[in-house]
Amino acid sequence: YDGDFFPLLVIIIILIFNLISARQSDYAPYFYDNGPGSTNGNMAFFSISEDTPLGKQVYILNGTDPEEDPVRYGLTFEKGSTEYFRVDPKSGNVTLVKELDREKQDEISVTVSITDGRNKVVETVRVFVTDANDEPPEFENLPFIIDVPEDTAPGSSIYRVHAVDKDLGSGGSVSYYLQSSSFAKFTIDGHSGILRVKPGEMLDYETTTTHFLTVVAKDGGGKYKGKEQVLTSTATVTINVLDAQDMPPTFVGTPYFGYIYEVSVPGSEIYTVYAKDGDQGNPNSIHYSIMNGSEGVFDINSTSGCITLNTLPSLLKKELYEIKVLASEAGPNSQIQDHDITTVTVRVVDLNNHPPTFYGENGPQSKFEVTMFEHPPAGEILRGFKITVNDSDQGANAKFKLRLVGPSRVLRVVPQTVLNEAQVTIIVEDTSGIDYEKGPTLSFKLLAVEIDTPERFSATADIVINLLDMNDNIPTFTSEYYIARVAENSPGGSSVVSVTANDPDSGSWGEVKYTIYGSGSDLFAINLSSGLITTQPWTSLDAEVRSKYNFYVKAEDSEGKYGLAEVFVTVLDMNDHPPEFDDKLLEKTMIIGTPVKVQAVDEDAESPNNVIEYSIMTADPDNAFDINSDTGEIKLKPFIKSMEIVHNITKQKDCKWSLVVQARDRGSPSFSTTAVVNIDITEATPLKGPMAAFLLKSRDNPLKALGMVTFIIIVLVGATVVISTAMYMRNSKSNRIMPVRRIIKRRPREQQTWTCKMPIIRFTNPAEKFLVADPESSTQQETGSPRMKPPPPIAPCLPPPPPCSTRAGERPRAVPTISGALASKGSKKAKPGRRKEGNISSALVSELKMKLEQKIHENNQGYY
């Protein structure tokens, strides 16, 4: 047992020894100290600008462990302080998380730590916040309000402004200037901020009592967030100018005018003058006095400036006075200083105590009346009025205006402005306003109103015009045209329409008589007085004969003045005609499958009286026909399709069926008529083509078929004429008939056998059907043509010329002949395979040539 325990004891001792050795060699981690200018280490003496943006990495905590174990970093702040930074435990990256402000806190205490998991090293360091130009200057002792006397000497200092900038360096230095103004009377020292009155400028209280200056404080500039910037602040300086005694007094409200009236008494106020000191900020009292011009008639109150009369107006020797008044400024010791002089004009005037008055032939009068005819010419003077107007006052008190009040622009008054007295003339201005029909009486007010007087006295007179009527109007209908409707067959004397015309004239001039005239008016009559239009007693209107009438109605007064209106009369159709067939017994032929048509005519003028409906009343055989109620077309029932079915229905060989057709109109009441229709049933011949269809459709209307055939014949004849004319023109341009002289010599009496060869005509080219080929050429053509075509009949060829032998002593006789030869204008040489006589390209020419040759042959028979 002891032997087993010993090895275990040795192992335990070795482990304890190793643990003690390891414990003695475990060293703590540490930061690198890279100095104040470094951005990694332990942040000792690290500085950061206050304008550093949030979220930016500003430092790296950097350290190591002697055993090279991984380390982690930490960063804390004092309790209650602002946490500006945050560190990543693994990388040691320090990030700014709170905005910095050097003016509030320029130094930050930070505790940084590094640990390897077993050992932790903690250090407290200081981080310095550096300045950026982020603070503008700030003025002190605001607001700036200054009182400055107006007599302050130019260049004198009046105030000092002061501003402070919390930034450091150039950003904390402050300079001053004034915002520019073209009327500035002040300057400022850029360094000290002292305000001065600008040299050469004077303050004037009377011109400007308050000045407002804008002072700008500017720092020296500096960087902010990487850019240079200059910050400024402004402040308003209010300068109140204090008044000084440097202005004389001034009269207010000049010029001055006063009046003395006939009712004035001694002590009456004439006028009150008023003067004020030019120095309104600190005014002195004013003393008033009369210098001259009073002549002992006027007094003035030295304090109030009130001028009064000290005598009776009846004792005054002048009508106009000019008084010189002195206003003096009294100093502190009642010492007279500056002064001002003005003139007061005083006029002795009449008292306005008489209003204007209108006078007639017998004295004052307030109403003027005249009687006259209506519509006097424009510009005519109404001489029936004898009116005078007068104002007994003198001068301006006797000046007044005249005007008429009433219907606008009908009359005008002359004169319009009167001084003292005038004759009143009334003139017509608008003749249409003086109209008896608008009213038998016109009333106006004639006013006289003073112009320049405070009392504005006035007078009024009534102007009355009684009008006499004239025949100046023509009768006028209430409408330009009248529309009437009358039922046809109405009895004679029936009312049609009543027309009305008005003549506003009075008496017999306003009485109107009516007449009618125009086409168709002879069927109507009109009441001379009432204007009622009726049909003539013997007239019965028929819509089928004439349904529309229009004529004129004339309204005439006693002097022949008249007006016209047009009357339109429509005759309403009545259902008074029954439908009528052409015959009571109608014969029709019906081809199976094709209808036949019956037609009735209703002579009524309008629908529905002339609209006809057709129906089958009876039929033999029954139930074999249908009829179209609108067109009257009769057709067999659909099951009857052949003659066999017809023979099955009836045993008659001629297949002639009959039916009774009724034609009824749609009027009210309705009329009807009947006709017996005999229909011969037959089966159609199998015709084909559109002509057959046309003939079938028009079998009941032969005139239609005849017209169509005539039209077709005219078209064909016209086409033939056009084609013939065209061919003739073409042939006349391209060909001509040339005379050929032939000498036929006499032959011996021995007659030779004649042979006649038929020429061959080719039809391969339609244009060559009129060409006649030579026998030789035709032979060649026969060999080349696979098919032979029958030649058309043609005249025989000419016999060969007679031999040249003649009898002894006998002169040969030449027989001149003329034959036709067709030669082309543009061809000098005939083409091969054709006759020397030319190309016969026209049937007409060929026939002419044939007849000429036959005639020559007959004439030559006597020479052989």
Side-chain angles (χ1 to χ4, degrees), residues 278-293:
D279 302 308
Q280 292 298 306
N282 185 22
N284 290 325
S285 58
I286 305 298
H287 180 271
Y288 301 97
S289 61
I290 296 177
M291 295 179 64
N292 56 52

Side-chain angles (χ1 to χ4, degrees), residues 541-814:
L541 301 179
D542 191 347
E544 288 74 30
V545 176
R546 183 174 177 180
S547 61
K548 302 289 183 181
Y549 295 87
N550 73 293
F551 49 86
Y552 291 94
V553 58
K554 179 179 179 181
E556 187 175 7
D557 63 14
S558 59
E559 287 190 352
K561 294 183 178 181
Y562 64 89
L564 296 177
E566 194 168 3
V567 179
F568 296 88
V569 179
T570 300
V571 181
L572 301 177
D573 183 45
M574 304 296 290
N575 192 22
D576 55 350
H577 292 86
E580 292 183 1
F581 287 100
D582 293 341
D583 197 349
K584 291 294 184 179
L585 179 62
L586 302 175
E587 299 289 339
K588 300 289 182 178
T589 300
M590 176 181 290
I591 298 174
I592 295 177
T594 305
V596 297
K597 184 176 182 180
V598 296
Q599 186 173 8
V601 177
D602 192 318
E603 294 183 357
D604 286 317
E606 297 178 358
S607 173
N609 297 334
N610 58 3
V611 178
I612 300 174
E613 292 181 349
Y614 299 92
S615 61
I616 297 175
M617 303 299 293
T618 60
D620 183 20
D622 192 15
N623 199 26
F625 297 97
D626 287 327
I627 189 169
N628 188 308
S629 61
D630 296 325
T631 64
E633 287 188 349
I634 302 172
K635 59 183 178 179
L636 293 171
K637 292 287 186 178
F639 65 86
I640 303 176
K641 298 180 180 179
S642 65
M643 290 299 294
E644 296 179 0
I645 300 175
V646 172
H647 289 306
N648 291 335
I649 295 175
T650 179
K651 301 303 180 180
Q652 299 176 5
K653 292 183 179 181
D654 54 0
C655 297
K656 197 166 190 176
W657 293 349
S658 64
L659 62 159
V660 178
V661 177
Q662 182 188 61
R664 177 179 293 275
D665 62 27
R666 296 183 180 179
S668 179
S670 177
F671 294 100
S672 66
T673 187
T674 59
V676 176
V677 182
N678 292 330
I679 300 177
D680 188 6
I681 310 297
T682 183
E683 196 165 14
T685 303
L687 298 176
K688 298 181 179 179
M691 183 57 72
F694 171 75
L695 293 175
L696 288 175
K697 291 183 179 180
S698 60
R699 66 187 183 275
D700 292 331
N701 193 352
L703 293 178
K704 180 178 180 183
L706 181 60
M708 182 58 69
V709 171
T710 304
F711 174 75
I712 294 173
I713 292 173
I714 292 173
V715 171
L716 292 176
V717 171
T720 303
V721 171
V722 171
I723 295 173
S724 300
T725 303
M727 292 186 64
Y728 173 76
M729 296 299 293
R730 182 174 65 86
N731 293 334
S732 65
K733 290 182 179 179
S734 60
N735 303 301
R736 69 175 183 270
I737 300 176
M738 300 177 63
V740 177
R741 184 174 296 276
R742 176 179 297 174
I743 299 175
I744 303 176
K745 295 181 179 181
R746 189 173 183 179
R747 294 184 178 182
R749 292 187 180 273
E750 293 83 3
Q751 190 168 359
Q752 299 178 359
T753 304
W754 287 19
T755 60
C756 181
K757 295 183 179 181
M758 303 298 289
I760 299 174
I761 301 175
R762 296 177 60 190
F763 291 95
T764 57
N765 186 358
E768 296 177 356
K769 62 184 178 180
F770 297 109
L771 299 179
V772 179
D774 293 334
E776 293 81 7
S777 61
S778 63
T779 305
Q780 296 177 0
Q781 292 176 358
E782 286 176 4
T783 59
S785 177
R787 295 181 61 184
M788 296 293 292
K789 297 182 179 179
I794 191 169
C797 298
L798 291 174
C804 296
S805 60
T806 59
R807 296 179 182 179
E810 185 180 12
R811 294 179 59 186
R813 292 185 298 172

Side-chain angles (χ1 to χ4, degrees), residues 196-209:
R196 289 184 173 87
V197 179
K198 185 183 290 185
E201 295 287 345
M202 292 293 295
L203 303 180
D204 189 356
Y205 176 87
E206 287 70 30
T207 302
T208 306
T209 59

